[in-house]
Amino acid sequence: MALHEVLLQQLFNGLLIGSFYGLVAIGYSMVYGIIKLLNFAHGDIYMIGAFSGLVFLFIASPYIGAGWPALILGLLISMLLVGLLGVLIQRVAYRPMLKAPRLSILITALAVSMILYNTVMLLSAGRYRAFTVDISTESFFIGALRLTETRVVLIVAAFSLMFIMHMFITRTMYGKAMRAISLDRDTCQLMGIDVYKIIALTFFVGSALAAAAGIMAGVYYGTIHFYMGFLIGLKAFTAAVIGGIGIIPGAMLGGILLGLLEAFGTQIPFIGTVWKDVFSFAFLILFLIFKPNGLLGRSESERM
Amino acid sequence: MLFNLKKHWILMLVAMMLVFGAFGCGEDAAPPADEDPADENGEAPAEFEGEVLIGIMVPTTGSEAADGTDMENAALLAVDEINAAGGVMGHRLVTTTGDDGCDPSMATAAASQLVSEEVVALVGGYCSGATLPTLAIYGEAGIPFVIAASNATTLIDENPGWGFMINSTGLDQAATAVEHFESLGVETIGVIDSGDAYSADLKEQTIIQWEEAGYEIVADDTVQRGEVDFSAFVTTIMSVQPDGIYWTGYQAEGALLIRQLREGGYEGVIVVGDGSSAQELIDLAGPAAEGVYCTGPPLTDFLPAAQSFIEGYEASFPREPGAYAALMYDATNLLADAMERAGSFDSAAIRDALEATDGFEGLAGPISFTPENTLARSNFVVLVAEDGRWALVE
């Protein structure tokens, strides 16, 4: 492969990974925007999503197989269930802490994260699980770019979800309410917006997107395990910060940028795969020095 | 709304905790039925003069939990059999397990815990990276440690003389890998490890021996434990097109690497090291694993001597014995044998007896030690994945 072919392949790889980061980052960013919480349990929600997809396939595949129809059904059901789990967590763990100091709710989030991944560790016996799907892995070429059906579907699905999300935030009353609450929660309450309902909705949407990303990662990589949410949680957080935390399009953009950075960073001689994370987190530090509000962040902006 | 009734969700939460609590207990209570003396005394009134505590150090959680649990089970099985035959010099063997989590810091904590429990000797050791820092701890405490699986050459240098390695070291394995690549007509290889002591060491040894044999390394990379995305390495591989690839890490990452290499269009020879020799590698990698080679330890399944062990294992535990179960079984029996030969449960006497081991017949072949306390012969074999199972390459 010539250099430009390597770069083209990495461009695609970067976009795909970046879209996973972006989907998870949206949830981080939304929650931060609306209740100023860095929801460290969000990466574990992604992991729970992957496992619920696996459980669905395990139950459903004898009847409907494990092809695309089963996957899409599994994706939707998992998004719904994990979204509800997100609402439950919000109700049990975060809502009582809304008036408490910010640090308390942050620690609560860490506790939720530990509860989630330890529960899954027990249930899955700490093992890696094969995410078996019945999808062709034959590859084909577009020019010099090697693709598989899975990759194409996943990247289209991820970008579609992001687009739907963007429409939801900018074009619906609920989206407007979310943006309003991120500006001034008390005033919204005075204006008759059911603030708690909107917060619950935010958790639902964010968790559902993370679950979708988790299942997609399961399909893409083929194995899942209880700790898979940790690193992607950090990465998604990074993506959200790069994009400007609290700003939805920023989270998507940040995710994609981070994915591309990793993909190209590993091609620089002497960086290689092992320095991938060092490279991306070092970039985060540099980026924050020069642009502390993130790509799309303004110091006095509407954070949503 | 349901949640308007405050008490409801508190009740739900309590119910959930109870469910998880019960689940946890169930898991814990299941395996070690042999640790309760009442059982044994009730059924077969073996007259034991006393008890001897030996430690088991394996990863029972984390990414290597599967192999670790297999090893723990194998040791428990050996102990059961020894006790059923009257114990060691009239003493009943009792075990305590330390979870090293395949992690150096967890291993250090587990080792200190085992030392404080006053074990007279230890068996175990799976991840070399986790075993490495414990050698000094056991050496200082003066407790002999039969190392069943860990085999990085770095262990030899760090061994204060109390560790005994019954698995061939990385040097032997690298030689086996080089020979196998040569026999397939491979001339250029790419190597990749997972950054821990064991896999980095095996990779380095392979590079040295491969280049000594007059061939070329065209790609050399390292990933972190827990890495899921190998697309950068795959892209590099596709651009340099080596005839073969040698992965020296463990199965969790190895399975992902194999899938991504094959999906990325790589058609050359893939060989994995013994860290990836568990059946789990093939299960996780799926069809992509077909035709992958493995330089592995003598897998339990392929040892003619191990048939009765496999039957005994499957009768006691609801699973198949994994790759290292036979070695762990050997390690435990060797330890009991050394105690008999020492004629005492004094740790120093056991150590001397272990050192003097001469051709102890284990399932994986005879065990004797070099002056460095390593196995005096190579026990590596080459396996190939066929129809979703490992098969021995003759």
Side-chain angles (χ1 to χ4, degrees), chain A residues 135-153:
Chain A
I135 295 166
S136 144
T137 53
E138 289 292 308
S139 49
F140 55 92
F141 285 90
I142 297 178
L145 186 63
R146 177 186 285 272
L147 295 170
T148 61
E149 192 184 317
T150 318
R151 289 177 178 221
V152 175
V153 174

Side-chain angles (χ1 to χ4, degrees), chain A residues 40-284:
Chain A
F40 282 116
H42 198 60
D44 299 287
I45 291 287
Y46 159 91
M47 176 272 296
I48 301 261
F51 272 92
S52 71
L54 182 73
V55 170
F56 174 83
L57 282 185
F58 180 75
I59 296 168
S61 60
Y63 308 104
I64 55 174
W68 287 118
L71 267 178
I72 291 166
L73 191 62
L75 186 82
L76 293 176
I77 290 177
S78 298
M79 282 174 76
L80 180 71
L81 290 178
V82 176
L84 290 175
L85 176 72
V87 174
L88 179 75
I89 291 170
Q90 176 270 146
R91 182 64 189 83
V92 174
Y94 300 148
R95 188 162 149 189
M97 309 289 286
L98 280 181
K99 299 267 188 275
R102 296 256 296 270
L103 207 53
S104 313
I105 190 165
L106 192 71
I107 291 166
T108 312
L110 287 175
V112 170
S113 162
M114 283 178 200
I115 290 170
L116 291 179
Y117 81 70
N118 277 296
T119 305
V120 175
M121 184 183 88
L122 277 174
L123 294 173
S124 68
R127 284 179 177 232
Y128 279 69
R129 298 285 162 175
F131 201 100
T132 315
V133 290
D134 187 15
I135 295 166
S136 144
T137 53
E138 289 292 308
S139 49
F140 55 92
F141 285 90
I142 297 178
L145 186 63
R146 177 186 285 272
L147 295 170
T148 61
E149 192 184 317
T150 318
R151 289 177 178 221
V152 175
V153 174
L154 288 182
I155 204 163
V156 169
F159 277 91
S160 313
L161 278 174
M162 285 195 226
F163 180 74
I164 293 169
M165 192 60 221
H166 185 65
M167 287 294 139
F168 175 75
I169 295 291
T170 53
R171 301 289 159 85
T172 65
M173 272 323 264
Y174 289 112
K176 197 177 235 174
M178 285 180 189
R179 284 182 290 146
I181 292 172
S182 78
L183 276 181
D184 189 335
R185 196 199 302 163
D186 293 335
T187 310
C188 286
Q189 207 147 18
L190 291 174
M191 294 296 163
I193 297 175
D194 188 342
V195 170
Y196 289 122
K197 203 168 129 193
I198 298 296
I199 292 176
L201 181 70
T202 307
F203 271 87
F204 179 84
V205 174
S207 303
L209 286 179
I215 293 176
M216 289 178 181
V219 174
Y220 182 51
Y221 295 124
T223 72
I224 59 175
H225 66 122
F226 70 90
Y227 212 55
M228 67 189 280
F230 174 72
L231 195 61
I232 199 159
L234 287 183
K235 297 275 182 68
F237 175 56
T238 309
V241 172
I242 288 178
I245 192 147
I247 302 162
I248 301 298
M252 302 180 202
L253 202 62
I256 290 162
L257 184 67
L258 188 64
L260 290 175
L261 262 178
E262 284 186 356
F264 289 118
T266 49
Q267 292 303 312
I268 300 171
F270 306 114
I271 289 188
T273 316
V274 73
W275 292 100
K276 187 172 81 175
D277 297 337
V278 177
F279 184 75
S280 38
F281 289 116
F283 178 81
L284 173 72

Side-chain angles (χ1 to χ4, degrees), chain B residues 26-111:
Chain B
E27 280 255 305
D28 286 341
D34 51 281
E35 283 185 359
D36 186 6
D39 270 2
E40 220 98 15
N41 293 340
E43 267 180 37
E47 300 282 322
F48 289 117
E49 291 166 33
E51 290 188 340
V52 181
L53 184 65
I54 61 170
I56 298 172
M57 189 187 80
V58 288
T60 54
T61 58
S63 59
E64 309 312 315
D67 273 309
T69 309
D70 280 332
M71 289 172 68
E72 184 187 18
N73 288 345
L76 294 177
L77 181 65
V79 164
D80 266 358
E81 290 174 4
I82 292 163
N83 286 338
V88 178
M89 291 180 292
H91 283 64
R92 184 171 178 276
L93 288 186
V94 199
T95 65
T96 176
T97 301
D99 174 19
D100 70 34
C102 193
D103 173 76
S105 56
M106 261 183 89
T108 309

Side-chain angles (χ1 to χ4, degrees), chain B residues 264-338:
Chain B
Y266 180 70
E267 283 164 3
V269 178
I270 301 177
V271 182
V272 298
D274 64 338
S276 297
S277 64
Q279 175 64 30
E280 203 180 0
L281 177 94
I282 302 178
D283 295 344
L284 292 177
E290 285 297 295
V292 167
Y293 294 98
C294 173
T295 52
L299 279 188
T300 312
D301 280 355
F302 302 114
L303 300 171
Q307 282 318 308
S308 69
F309 163 72
I310 295 174
E311 281 160 25
Y313 187 101
E314 285 172 355
S316 304
F317 307 100
R319 56 198 277 167
E320 290 176 20
Y324 293 91
L327 281 174
M328 188 68 171
Y329 184 78
D330 283 356
T332 314
N333 282 321
L334 171 65
L335 184 60
D337 177 69

